[in-house]
Amino acid sequence: MGGFVLISLCLVPFLGRDFFPAVDAGQFRLHVRAPVGTRLEATEERFYEVGRVIREVIPPNEIQNVLDNIGLPVSGINLAFSDNATISSADGEILVALNAKHKPTAQYMRILRERLHHDFPDMEFYFAAPDIVSQILNFGIPAPIDIQITGRDPKGYDIANEIRSRITQIPGAADVHVHQVVHGPDLRVNVDRTRAQQIGLTQNDVARTMLISLSSSGQNAPNFWLNFQNGVNYQVAVQTPQYKMDTLQDLQNTPVVAQNLPRPELLANLATVERRESPIIVNHYDVQPVFDVLANVQGRDLGGVAGQVSKVVNEFKSKLPRGTFLNVRGQVDGMNKSFAGIGAGILFAIVLVYFLMTVNFQSWTDPFIIIMALPGALCGIIWILFVTGTTLNVPSLMGAIMAIGVATANSILVVTFANDERCGEHPKNAHDAALSAGFTRLRPVIMTALAMIIGMLPFSFGLGEGGEQNAPLGRAVIGGLIVATFATLFFVPVVYSMLRKAEFTCDEDEEFERQEQRERA
């Protein structure tokens, strides 16, 4: 038994770890990012080309719907309540929903990763969480692994790119990219405040005029018109048509107005315009600026990739400038905490049950004999997860707890019956009592285990929509109970016969009852 346990423990590193098993939701979200500074209409053309590749990879009879979301929403409310990672007019998302009968979605995602990076080398692609479960597990982050470089040192972006290059070489890491874009083209309008003041304008007037002209009055001074016939409010906004604002000269010809100004003044008479580069998006964590290196997983367990990512992060921690910090967040952080909590819960449950049985049996030996069935349950769980290619995750750990509970209950039946045999009318020795307990309790133990195993069979197959979530739980219970049943019927009696060779002391109350029965007889 000891050798079997050691061999089983050697398989644990090969199981892999995931927070929750992956579910084929029949949809995926592809984030597409064109070169920085691409206008919205040019981005739309790029999205059309990407969509054509998607329809070439996925058969038409398997596609239910394809939806493109390009650029940023106009309303700040929509931007605040959306969970996508769109940062400018140069990127967006393609949402693809598949029909009920389709090939594995992960297979299409793997093909699209290779095909899109080959056909569009100047663009960036990565897949975000499509279903609500994955989005919750990622805590709103587009990827399950998020390496955050926090600090005000200007070298933070260079460090992020170095980490991205290292993580890209890790087997199983996919869609590795830096979320922030710091070299976005922009136009810097420098207002001559002295000249503006002489005319009666301030920099606030210039900024407000440009905001209304370029972004409409919907942000600065929202106005609504009520249609009394249907009771619907319509937003009324004033803005310069975009097709009339396509050159730098058109921007300089923008008239600047103010309340006390007799006539508008052209922007060219008040300010100069120069081309610059600036960050397109700036993120903060605990008030500190942060750069995010996001990574996804393909063809490998999350724990294996996260382990190698942690090694890379630890190498960079010793090279960081002063005031700069590295942290790994996202689904990996939640997975590690959950595993630590469940593992501590299992150990605490075993210890608590042991002490409870100690009080019940008035012995330290009997509870120890009873828990000898638990190593068999754990070995069965490890072997069935290894054979079926299932990773260690929260459902499989929950199944382990269930299997341990049933195995303990069956083992209690055997040990209790053996004790009763030693205190019966014809007391038996440890060997004969253990043999009788294993033979007599054979049917109850097998019936209890078999009922649980048959009940878990539908779960283990992962049938139906979302069945992949429950499959590890069923497999862990089945594997644990199969081996634990053999351990209960064969190994526990052997341990009992070895540890209970000494003279057995019966319970005083039970001995008193037996004496009364003999006297009555």
Side-chain angles (χ1 to χ4, degrees):
M1 187 66 180
F4 179 66
V5 172
L6 291 177
I7 295 175
S8 301
L9 292 177
C10 294
L11 297 178
V12 174
F14 300 97
L15 296 180
R17 295 180 301 133
D18 281 315
F19 197 178
F20 277 84
V23 177
D24 190 349
Q27 58 183 349
F28 61 84
R29 296 172 60 184
L30 175 63
H31 194 96
V32 182
R33 181 173 294 174
V36 182
T38 305
R39 290 179 61 88
L40 188 62
E41 56 270 20
T43 305
E44 184 180 3
E45 296 177 358
R46 291 294 191 95
F47 268 68
Y48 175 77
E49 297 175 359
V50 173
R52 184 174 57 188
V53 174
I54 293 176
R55 287 176 171 84
E56 292 177 0
V57 172
I58 305 177
N61 59 339
E62 295 186 11
I63 298 178
Q64 180 181 1
N65 188 20
V66 178
L67 176 64
D68 296 349
N69 289 329
I70 308 174
L72 293 173
V74 177
S75 173
I77 297 177
N78 294 334
L79 181 62
F81 285 95
S82 63
D83 66 333
N84 58 31
T86 305
I87 60 177
S88 68
S89 61
D91 62 344
E93 285 188 342
I94 299 178
L95 310 178
V96 179
L98 304 178
N99 290 322
K101 295 182 179 180
H102 61 85
K103 294 181 180 179
T105 307
Q107 177 181 345
Y108 289 135
M109 293 170 62
R110 178 180 55 81
I111 297 174
L112 287 174
R113 280 192 179 102
E114 300 176 357
R115 177 77 180 274
L116 293 175
H117 283 94
H118 178 268
D119 294 350
F120 307 97
D122 60 335
M123 299 176 66
E124 191 174 86
F125 303 92
Y126 60 88
F127 288 91
D131 56 289
I132 187 65
V133 176
S134 301
Q135 294 173 12
I136 294 175
L137 294 178
N138 291 344
F139 298 98
I141 302 173
I145 301 177
D146 180 15
I147 301 98
Q148 290 188 340
I149 301 95
T150 308
R152 298 187 178 276
D153 194 284
K155 297 181 181 179
Y157 185 70
D158 297 332
I159 297 174
N161 281 305
E162 293 179 10
I163 295 176
R164 179 191 61 81
S165 301
R166 291 287 303 277
I167 295 178
T168 305
Q169 302 173 4
I170 296 177
D175 302 336
V176 185
H177 66 283
V178 180
H179 175 64
Q180 288 76 16
V181 179
V182 298
H183 301 297
D186 63 359
L187 298 175
R188 184 67 57 87
V189 179
N190 298 318
V191 180
D192 188 340
R193 301 192 180 188
T194 303
R195 183 181 301 178
Q197 188 175 9
Q198 292 175 353
I199 302 175
L201 294 172
T202 62
Q203 183 153 341
N204 187 23
D205 297 329
V206 179
R208 184 183 294 108
T209 300
M210 294 190 63
L211 176 64
I212 295 176
S213 176
L214 301 177
S215 184
S216 84
S217 60
Q219 300 286 341
N220 187 24
N223 193 6
F224 297 90
W225 173 74
L226 174 61
N227 187 347
F228 292 97
Q229 296 180 356
N230 56 15
V232 177
N233 284 324
Y234 297 92
Q235 186 176 7
V236 179
V238 179
Q239 181 184 0
T240 302
Q242 293 185 4
Y243 64 88
K244 291 187 177 181
M245 191 67 66
D246 55 358
T247 64
L248 192 60
Q249 185 62 42
D250 293 335
L251 179 64
Q252 292 176 338
N253 291 337
T254 301
V256 179
V257 297
Q259 293 182 356
N260 300 326
L261 192 67
R263 60 184 179 84
E265 190 69 33
L266 295 180
L267 179 64
N269 298 333
L270 304 174
T272 58
V273 182
E274 60 177 334
R275 299 182 183 271
R276 297 278 297 274
E277 286 186 351
S278 64
I280 293 182
I281 183 172
V282 177
N283 296 96
H284 291 81
Y285 190 87
D286 289 341
V287 189
Q288 295 291 327
V290 63
F291 291 99
D292 297 275
V293 181
L294 303 176
N296 213 326
V297 179
Q298 174 183 283
R300 192 180 177 187
D301 62 291
L302 178 61
V305 177
Q308 293 190 258
V309 169
S310 299
K311 295 180 180 178
V312 174
V313 171
N314 292 332
E315 293 178 7
F316 277 88
K317 282 185 177 179
S318 59
K319 308 175 185 178
L320 294 177
R322 185 177 181 181
T324 303
F325 305 94
L326 269 177
N327 295 289
V328 180
R329 294 188 171 90
Q331 189 177 145
V332 175
D333 189 25
M335 180 186 69
N336 293 331
K337 292 180 180 178
S338 297
F339 277 29
I342 294 177
I346 293 176
L347 293 177
F348 180 75
I350 294 175
V351 173
L352 185 62
V353 170
Y354 177 80
F355 286 119
L356 182 62
M357 290 189 298
T358 301
V359 175
N360 184 35
F361 286 95
Q362 296 295 313
S363 170
W364 295 95
T365 307
D366 287 347
F368 179 76
I369 298 172
I370 290 172
I371 65 174
M372 283 296 99
L374 301 188
L378 296 178
C379 293
I381 293 168
I382 294 172
W383 275 99
I384 197 168
L385 294 181
F386 177 77
V387 172
T388 58
T390 307
T391 59
L392 280 175
N393 46 56
V394 172
S396 62
L397 292 178
M398 297 297 294
I401 296 176
M402 296 174 63
I404 289 173
V406 177
T408 304
N410 288 338
S411 185
I412 291 174
L413 289 176
V414 175
V415 174
T416 303
F417 190 86
N419 290 339
D420 293 340
E421 287 291 295
R422 300 194 68 180
C423 294
E425 296 182 2
H426 304 286
K428 299 180 180 180
N429 57 29
H431 178 271
D432 294 340
L435 184 62
S436 176
F439 179 77
T440 307
R441 291 301 187 187
L442 175 65
R443 181 180 297 177
V445 170
I446 291 181
M447 288 181 61
T448 303
L450 193 60
M452 180 67 77
I453 291 173
I454 294 175
M456 286 295 169
L457 275 177
F459 289 94
S460 64
F461 293 141
L463 303 177
E465 296 182 2
E468 300 94 334
Q469 288 280 359
N470 300 322
L473 185 146
R475 294 167 186 171
V477 172
I478 291 173
L481 288 183
I482 289 175
V483 181
T485 301
F486 283 96
T488 301
L489 296 175
F490 298 100
F491 183 67
V492 170
V494 172
V495 176
Y496 184 90
S497 63
M498 295 175 60
L499 298 182
R500 278 298 194 176
K501 289 181 178 180
E503 183 178 355
F504 187 79
T505 303
C506 299
D507 185 80
E508 296 180 358
D509 295 336
E510 294 180 357
E511 187 66 24
F512 181 75
E513 291 179 1
R514 292 189 184 95
Q515 290 180 0
E516 287 186 345
Q517 291 177 359
R518 294 192 193 102
E519 293 176 356
R520 293 173 182 174

